[in-house]
Amino acid sequence: MAIAATETETTSTRAFGPAAALSCRECGERYDLAPRFACEFCFGPLEVAYEFGAVTREEIERGPNNIWRYAGLLPVPDNVAELPNMDPGLTPLVGADRLAAELGMRSLHVKDDSANPTHSFKDRVVAMAVEAARTFGFRTLSCSSTGNLAGAVGAASARAGFRSCVFIPAGLEEGKIVMAAVYGGQVVAIDGNYDDVNRFCSELIGDPAGEDWGFVNVNLRPYYAEGSKTLAYEIAEQLGWRLPEQIIVPIASGSQLTKIDKGFRELIRLGLVEDRPYKVFGAQATGCSPVAAAYEQGHDVVQPVKPDTIAKSLAIGNPADGPYVIDVCRRTGGAVAHVDDAAVVDSIGLLARTEGVFAETAGGVTTGVLRKLLDEGTLDPEAETVVLNTGDGLKTLNAVESGVTATIKPSLDVFKEAGLL
Ligand SMILES: *Cc1c(COP(=O)(O)O)cnc(C)c1O
């Protein structure tokens, strides 16, 4: 009997690799690794707590060319690389010398997450949720989405054999709707904004009808959120096992920003990088900037807003991780800032012209905030800096107005006369 019990325990622990428990971010109460997301005592959000074994740079470097090279740092089974998943990650860290020169900076890189399988950073977080859903035996995957998440869930469900049903606000960009629907799952548009969609999903989870559904960003959120740590690991490894001195991260719910900080701290704790200070800067669009507003006013509480911006992937008016974002930015000596839609469009153009990277509006937000904080003297132009592009410009084509230079008859004379040589 005792042996059988031990075996069961070993197997179930292994299903989540080095993850040991869920712990409450407010009161520290610990829970078993189950599909739960809020503390029973204080309603604080739960996150994954680990007991890491020895992890070396060499082991990681020998691993697969995707996020599973960091499996020893994630809540996933040991054999995760063999399971059907989208295998995202190891996206390019572009040495942005021409953009740096234009902005008067010494060292700038763009982490280009448009290179993920469904062209946004969301493949990283969904890959984690898929493994948790498999372990918990869910058959339907779902989410509330500002667009990119719906596509990532649709694709991963197709690959891993889940049914999917995703919820989006009505009026999203066509590219995002097509990318959510093409994989064959259900796509339901809710008449309202993202925060209405989220409320609807919470109701569905509380109802017996949604009991066996895995909502990647609700009841699987603690596992899902850990996927963002892989951005931190990759950036450090791609810089030659070094932390950047400054990093600019977009904020929707704020989860990604807080987990990049968690990833950096883990690398330091495990001795995989030298312990040197880094500053985290958060970026929002002015039309949805509740975290920037709270930061500027010196508040800890984030007042919800009604979003109105072309940066729809970041349009969360009531960001769940807002207060934690402010903590990270203050603790590391960074800041939270916002730029208006005109600056977003202009910055998409700048990044494309100087580096050949076509960013979605979220990348325009981070690049815009980079320029603004340099102008203000908040960012140090001499420090090694990384700016994130988290999505692909092809998904937000309506935001830009680029078009043909001229339309002419197929005649060399006409071409010459038009002064285009
Ligand atoms: C979801 C998303 C983010 C960040 O999301 P968080 O909720 O803050 O983790 C950033 N960029 C893009 C393009 C996204 O789709």
Side-chain angles (χ1 to χ4, degrees), residues 121-122 148 250-256 313-314 360 362 390-391:
F121 118 92
K122 288 296 194 302
N148 285 320
I251 301 167
S253 73
S255 173
Q256 180 187 72
S313 57
L314 304 181
E360 79 142 87
T390 47

Side-chain angles (χ1 to χ4, degrees), residues 47-304:
E47 74 171 344
V48 176
Y50 298 90
E51 277 161 25
F52 292 123
V55 181
T56 66
R57 292 179 183 177
E58 292 71 28
E59 253 168 40
I60 290 171
E61 286 163 359
R62 274 199 304 272
N65 288 329
N66 54 53
I67 56 170
W68 305 133
R69 67 206 275 111
Y70 310 107
L73 303 169
L74 298 168
V76 292
D78 299 339
N79 64 338
V80 63
E82 295 152 30
L83 302 172
N85 201 308
M86 297 300 286
D87 303 337
L90 224 61
T91 55
L93 185 70
V94 179
D97 294 347
R98 285 167 44 79
L99 179 56
E102 180 115 2
L103 300 176
M105 299 182 77
R106 190 180 57 78
S107 166
L108 177 64
H109 287 85
V110 179
K111 179 63 171 168
D112 188 10
D113 247 14
S114 68
N116 276 313
T118 69
H119 306 273
S120 89
F121 118 92
K122 288 296 194 302
D123 291 317
R124 298 177 183 275
V125 279
V126 170
M128 301 293 134
V130 162
E131 296 309 325
R134 219 192 307 266
T135 299
F136 294 137
F138 289 130
R139 294 244 272 277
T140 300
L141 282 188
S142 184
C143 65
S144 51
S145 173
T146 55
N148 285 320
L149 185 56
V153 167
S157 300
R159 176 76 54 91
F162 290 90
R163 173 179 176 263
S164 75
C165 179
V166 300
F167 300 95
I168 57 174
L172 276 190
E173 301 97 333
E174 196 190 350
K176 288 191 181 145
I177 295 171
V178 172
M179 274 213 67
V182 72
Y183 305 105
Q186 277 172 226
V187 179
V188 180
I190 303 269
D191 203 1
N193 62 28
Y194 174 81
D195 299 287
D196 298 315
V197 179
N198 219 11
R199 260 194 305 279
F200 168 85
C201 288
S202 303
E203 246 182 82
L204 180 50
I205 284 182
D207 192 274
E211 227 169 32
D212 61 348
W213 285 33
F215 281 80
V216 303
N217 57 340
V218 188
N219 57 355
L220 297 174
R221 189 173 182 84
Y223 308 91
Y224 158 98
E226 295 298 291
S228 291
K229 294 195 306 176
T230 60
L231 270 166
Y233 303 152
E234 287 180 21
I235 289 166
E237 184 180 354
Q238 287 170 319
L239 286 175
W241 293 108
R242 194 170 66 234
L243 300 184
E245 293 171 279
Q246 307 180 127
I247 182 165
I248 298 108
V249 183
I251 301 167
S253 73
S255 173
Q256 180 187 72
L257 186 145
T258 64
K259 297 303 175 183
I260 286 176
D261 172 63
K262 187 180 183 188
F264 284 161
R265 282 185 289 130
E266 286 173 353
L267 292 179
I268 293 171
R269 187 150 56 88
L270 290 163
L272 290 165
V273 296
E274 196 186 314
D275 186 358
R276 78 165 179 182
Y278 59 87
K279 295 181 177 178
V280 181
F281 296 84
Q284 296 200 293
T286 305
C288 183
S289 51
V291 187
Y295 175 85
E296 279 166 8
Q297 292 155 15
H299 293 166
D300 295 326
V301 178
V302 174
Q303 291 292 339

Side-chain angles (χ1 to χ4, degrees), residues 311-324:
K312 294 187 181 179
S313 57
L314 304 181
I316 299 186
N318 188 11
D321 286 271
Y324 300 106

Side-chain angles (χ1 to χ4, degrees), residues 284-286 309-311 338-351 353 360-372 375 399-400:
Q284 296 200 293
T286 305
T309 168
I310 56 167
H338 60 89
V339 283
D340 64 22
D341 287 356
V344 171
V345 173
D346 195 56
S347 299
I348 291 174
L350 177 67
L351 189 55
R353 277 197 309 280
E360 79 142 87
T361 45
V365 169
T366 49
T367 307
V369 162
L370 168 73
R371 298 164 82 184
K372 181 178 179 181
D375 284 348
V400 289

